[in-house]
Amino acid sequence: MEAKEKRITLNAKDLTIGYGKKIVAKDINLSLKAGELSAIVGINGIGKSTLLRTLGNLQPLIDGVIDIDGNSLTTYQPDQLATKISIVLTEPLIANNLTVFELIALGRQPYTNWWGTLRQRDTDKIKDTLHILDLINLKNKKCYELSDGQLQRVLLARALAQDTPIILLDEPTTHLDLYHKVHIFKLLKTIAHEMEKTIVLTTHEIEMAIQLCDNIVLLEGDKNTSGEPCELIAQHAFDTLFPSDTVSFDATTGTFKIEK
Amino acid sequence: MLGLILGVAFLANISLGSVMIPFSDTFRILFGGHIEHTSWDYIIWEYRIPKALTAILSGGGLALSGLLMQTLFRNPLAGPFVLGISSGASLGAAILIMGAGLFTGFTAFGIVNDLSIAMASSMGSFLVLLVVMAVASKIKDTMALLIIGLMFGSITAALVSVLSYFTEAEKLRQFVYWSFGSVGNLTWYQLTLLSSIVLLGILISISAIKSLNAYLLGERYAKSLGVNVKKSRYTIIITTGLLAGGITAFAGPIAFVGLAVPHLSRQIFDTTDHKILVPAVLIYGGILMLVCDTIAQWPGSEHILPINAITSIFGAPVVIWLLVNKRKMVF
């Protein structure tokens, strides 16, 4: 089946990111489409989370443009943007006395009235996400009672309940074991494909990203490339990611090898 | 249920005091019946009822501003006074009471009475609040703002110490009495003023409940949920200043209530939803202050103990007990 041309939802051109005058990374160009799972990868401290937060308007960009659904990020009011982008951050959840249901319900805030009343539409959406992420049995649990893997699913559910075309996740698989890492990755892939969402995550699991993501944004500081995993492998983009005397990349298997 | 406890505490508070008035007579006075002692009528209407109302308003208001601060800063140690509001009020009162003797230029301010102290302390607290607000516009990090508030508190407290050192015993005593806090001695006019301030604070807080719930996830999540973080941060800080500053002006710096009542309410209701917490802290704050005030003016005793001490002596063990007993802090 030949799919129709996918719609570009998130576009960044000549982007420079950082804090105030301190530039973290520049010349970032990416264009992400609806129905695609993308991963931002790179070594520690290269600016993956900074890029993610900049895309989500949680911190100002230094230079360049970001377009969301064809309009510049700066033209959106906070409440409008909340219906376009939802975010899952790495920072620990402080309010862990919320129940799973309450936490997910907060995702409906952009759609509720000033008092935050949940209407039929909202509770339907929350039930949907509970179902999709297999959280029905947990819905009355408090967040502190959950395991790391469950909590990550709940946070994802909250973002999903926000019903936005774009979902950004900052390192959704840290603290998880291999099985749960793969589980989250596959879940995200299914959601992106079936619900036509643009999902972007940062991760250190480059091998997993190569196998499961539709798109990879490779941050290297001065040179930043993005594209499909096989394209990037063909360009030898991963070869120089780590110092070659320690870790080297095997293009045929798409995996990294430790040099002994 | 809570309203009932509040009602009982209110009745207990106005029927008990240094002058023994039988319970039946208190009732008769309240509901317009005739009694023999007209002085009792005066005590109830002009002293005890305004005092009880002040206790409810200040307790509820301080508890509410404590809740706002704890949610905004996502810090269980925050209270209404973390922004230096209380120290600002102390400085205002200190300059009026003690400074008058030091600087001859201030002698025009020499008339020290309850009303002028109220004015000076509210001016002091708003001055500090203004400075903190100016800093807040530059600092984006809420945690840094919290620490800056505490630093301003230290500076003003230090200034008060310096003033105290140079002051004669008589004036010092007067200042110390103010710092004990008191919910008595408010006229009906002052009470109207206080209730309008507290009411305004409550209304703004109610309108902010939705964004307060978003703040539970932290400032970044709140922003991604469509909360106008800059605007709501200002709104919450100003509301706290209004409540804590206004109450301190009339009742003196009353410690503990603002910090503890939000914790009490969260423990008792086992929730962090502000739709429940806002009314809960208002009522609990009111009850706590009424009970403390009743203890402070122990029936039949001539002495009125400093309310500031009572709130902590009787309130702190309750909070400790709750935390130890439940082994888990709800926040």
Side-chain angles (χ1 to χ4, degrees):
Chain A
M1 186 182 85
E2 186 61 54
K4 64 174 190 286
E5 187 61 21
K6 283 176 183 163
R7 190 168 51 95
I8 294 175
T9 47
L10 182 59
N11 196 61
K13 198 166 177 298
D14 300 331
L15 192 63
T16 304
I17 56 171
Y19 301 86
K21 287 209 171 66
K22 189 179 172 291
I23 291 172
V24 172
K26 58 182 178 181
D27 294 331
I28 301 167
N29 289 284
L30 47 90
S31 103
L32 308 175
K33 304 190 182 80
E36 280 185 357
L37 175 65
S38 308
I40 301 172
V41 299
I43 57 169
N44 277 335
I46 201 73
K48 297 187 293 295
S49 298
T50 311
L51 175 58
L52 196 85
R53 285 200 290 266
T54 311
L55 292 175
N57 201 30
L58 291 183
Q59 72 179 71
L61 53 84
I62 294 180
D63 199 20
V65 277
I66 299 175
D67 287 335
I68 306 294
D69 267 352
N71 297 311
S72 166
L73 190 63
T74 50
T75 58
Y76 288 97
Q77 293 297 313
D79 51 335
Q80 293 174 318
L81 196 64
T83 64
K84 293 287 179 195
I85 303 178
S86 56
I87 296 177
V88 177
L89 299 164
T90 34
E91 55 195 62
L93 190 67
I94 323 164
N96 54 17
N97 198 47
L98 288 168
T99 65
V100 169
F101 185 88
E102 283 175 321
L103 180 67
I104 298 173
L106 283 176
R108 296 303 297 170
Q109 276 216 355
Y111 306 96
T112 55
N113 59 5
W114 70 273
W115 179 244
T117 319
L118 295 175
R119 280 171 293 180
Q120 187 64 42
R121 195 180 60 156
D122 302 305
T123 45
D124 286 349
K125 191 79 206 171
I126 296 167
K127 277 180 196 150
D128 280 355
T129 53
L130 283 171
H131 181 72
I132 293 169
L133 294 175
D134 194 22
L135 292 167
I136 308 254
N137 297 328
L138 298 177
K139 77 171 178 168
N140 293 320
K141 286 241 180 192
K142 298 271 188 182
C143 286
Y144 62 79
E145 296 173 310
L146 304 177
S147 70
D148 284 342
Q150 290 170 333
L151 184 62
Q152 200 57 49
R153 287 215 308 279
V154 172
L155 291 173
L156 177 60
R158 191 210 60 82
L160 211 53
Q162 206 175 325
D163 200 14
T164 55
I166 301 168
I167 303 177
L168 308 177
L169 304 104
D170 197 3
E171 302 200 13
T173 59
T174 35
H175 307 307
L176 301 184
D177 59 41
L178 185 64
Y179 166 74
H180 285 95
K181 274 180 184 161
V182 176
H183 181 67
I184 291 281
F185 258 98
K186 287 194 162 174
L187 202 58
L188 290 171
K189 184 164 184 156
T190 316
I191 293 168
H193 288 194
E194 287 178 6
M195 301 175 78
E196 282 292 296
K197 290 188 184 294
T198 307
I199 301 186
V200 188
L201 55 92
T202 62
T203 185
H204 286 292
E205 310 299 326
I206 304 179
E207 294 175 4
M208 225 176 270
I210 289 172
Q211 290 180 57
L212 290 169
C213 291
D214 304 300
N215 235 315
I216 287 185
V217 179
L218 185 63
L219 286 190
E220 287 184 280
D222 47 349
K223 181 167 70 76
N224 306 298
T225 39
S226 82
E228 288 175 29
C230 49
E231 275 175 27
L232 293 188
I233 292 174
Q235 292 169 16
H236 300 287
F238 296 109
D239 296 3
T240 51
L241 186 59
F242 300 115
S244 56
D245 55 338
T246 323
V247 180
S248 67
F249 184 71
D250 181 359
T252 48
T253 56
T255 54
F256 288 92
K257 265 197 196 132
I258 298 167
E259 300 290 329
K260 284 172 191 155
Chain B
M1 173 64 186
L2 277 180
L4 196 72
I5 300 178
L6 185 69
V8 171
F10 181 78
L11 278 180
N13 184 277
I14 57 172
S15 37
L16 300 171
S18 50
V19 177
M20 293 295 240
I21 301 176
F23 199 63
S24 54
D25 282 336
T26 313
F27 250 93
R28 232 168 280 156
I29 291 163
L30 271 183
F31 297 105
H34 182 77
I35 49 144
E36 294 160 49
H37 304 260
T38 44
S39 64
W40 287 0
D41 189 82
Y42 183 83
I43 289 173
I44 296 281
W45 277 110
E46 294 302 319
Y47 182 70
R48 287 192 189 170
I49 290 182
K51 185 161 69 64
L53 290 176
T54 312
I56 295 174
L57 286 170
S58 49
L62 285 173
L64 179 59
S65 59
L67 177 69
L68 295 180
M69 286 295 99
Q70 287 174 7
T71 300
L72 179 68
F73 290 118
R74 297 304 310 131
N75 188 323
L77 286 176
F81 295 144
V82 289
L83 293 173
I85 296 165
S86 143
S87 347
S90 301
L91 186 65
I95 289 176
L96 180 76
I97 299 170
M98 305 191 288
L102 293 181
F103 315 105
T104 44
F106 274 114
T107 42
F109 282 130
I111 322 129
V112 179
N113 57 35
D114 290 343
L115 193 64
S116 64
I117 291 180
M119 278 173 61
S121 55
S122 54
M123 267 166 62
S125 52
F126 263 89
L127 202 71
V128 173
L129 192 67
L130 277 180
V131 180
V132 173
M133 291 286 287
V135 177
S137 65
K138 291 209 175 206
I139 303 273
K140 290 216 181 79
D141 187 354
T142 307
M143 219 37 105
L145 185 61
L146 182 72
I147 294 169
I148 289 168
L150 287 170
M151 291 301 114
F152 272 113
S154 302
I155 295 172
T156 41
L159 287 176
V160 171
S161 299
V162 173
L163 270 177
S164 315
Y165 179 76
F166 285 108
T167 283
E168 59 206 83
E170 173 67 20
K171 302 252 175 181
L172 194 59
R173 191 181 155 87
Q174 200 179 1
F175 176 73
V176 169
Y177 266 98
W178 174 82
S179 68
F180 282 161
S182 161
V183 288
N185 301 327
L186 258 70
T187 63
W188 279 99
Y189 170 71
Q190 287 168 295
L191 194 59
T192 323
L193 219 71
L194 179 64
S195 35
S196 348
I197 292 174
V198 174
L199 193 69
L200 185 65
I202 293 173
L203 289 179
I204 302 176
S205 306
I206 290 174
S207 73
I209 281 180
K210 186 176 164 182
S211 39
L212 285 170
N213 277 337
Y215 271 109
L216 287 175
L217 299 179
E219 210 161 320
R220 281 182 174 149
Y221 274 117
K223 194 175 177 194
S224 84
L225 280 168
V227 174
N228 188 334
V229 170
K230 206 171 174 185
K231 197 176 119 195
S232 69
R233 191 157 78 142
Y234 276 126
T235 313
I236 293 171
I237 291 176
I238 291 174
T239 312
T240 309
L242 195 70
L243 285 168
I247 291 164
T248 309
F250 288 108
I254 294 172
F256 185 74
V257 177
L259 177 72
V261 172
H263 286 298
L264 281 173
S265 310
R266 278 191 213 99
Q267 290 285 357
I268 292 167
F269 284 93
D270 196 23
T271 185
T272 40
D273 186 350
H274 288 81
K275 280 179 203 164
I276 297 168
L277 285 181
V278 168
V281 297
L282 283 171
I283 296 172
Y284 273 126
I287 293 174
L288 187 75
M289 277 305 274
L290 275 177
V291 172
C292 289
D293 180 57
T294 312
I295 299 170
Q297 45 149 27
W298 196 246
S301 151
E302 274 174 47
H303 298 285
I304 297 178
L305 299 169
I307 188 126
N308 215 343
I310 303 292
T311 47
S312 301
I313 290 175
F314 289 91
V318 175
V319 174
I320 294 171
W321 177 79
L322 265 175
L323 284 174
V324 171
N325 208 34
K326 289 208 164 187
R327 286 161 204 273
K328 179 184 71 69
M329 193 175 73
V330 179
F331 184 65

